[in-house]
Amino acid sequence: MNSDDVSVKIFKALGHPIRLQIVKFLLDEPRCVCEINKHFEFSQANTSQHLKILKEAGILENKKVGVEMHYGVKLKGIETLLNVMENVVTEFFKTLDF
């Protein structure tokens, strides 16, 4: 696996709106799956599938705390990436003719 493969894997994982929202929600601190479900009102199965994809992409890590599973952002550069993306989106909208 080379750096392009890893980049594509990360962008694919972030390319789903729900997964992007989950990562943004977890930027500040790790949270248990129950908090993620409550915040987004997803089914347990849906949340678990999205968390699995984000973890497999190396974006998230998990840790068992008591009986709860907590997820947090593993790659701290993700926050920088998301900030850059916000700047790109702002630039994109400025180029549109309304």
Side-chain angles (χ1 to χ4, degrees), residues 9-88:
K9 189 169 189 153
I10 290 169
F11 278 113
K12 277 186 177 182
L14 293 173
H16 192 286
I18 292 174
R19 290 194 289 270
L20 183 59
Q21 290 174 29
I22 289 170
V23 171
K24 287 179 177 180
F25 182 64
L26 296 174
L27 281 175
D28 293 332
E29 64 182 334
R31 299 174 191 263
C32 75
V33 175
C34 60
E35 288 180 71
I36 298 167
N37 278 332
K38 188 176 179 181
H39 183 78
F40 293 105
E41 298 180 1
F42 301 146
S43 71
Q44 176 73 35
N46 191 1
T47 301
S48 293
Q49 183 64 29
H50 288 299
L51 291 171
K52 177 183 175 200
I53 291 167
L54 290 165
K55 185 178 176 204
E56 287 175 352
I59 297 168
L60 298 183
E61 61 187 352
N62 64 339
K63 179 172 78 170
K64 193 162 186 162
V65 179
V67 296
E68 298 175 335
M69 187 61 71
H70 287 239
Y71 282 84
V73 176
K74 179 179 180 181
L75 300 176
K76 300 308 174 193
I78 290 294
E79 185 170 9
T80 303
L81 178 65
L82 295 179
N83 289 334
V84 169
M85 183 54 70
E86 283 184 35
N87 292 336
V88 171

Side-chain angles (χ1 to χ4, degrees), residues 84-95:
V84 169
M85 183 54 70
E86 283 184 35
N87 292 336
V88 171
V89 169
T90 300
E91 181 182 354
F92 171 80
F93 280 117
K94 287 179 180 177
T95 66

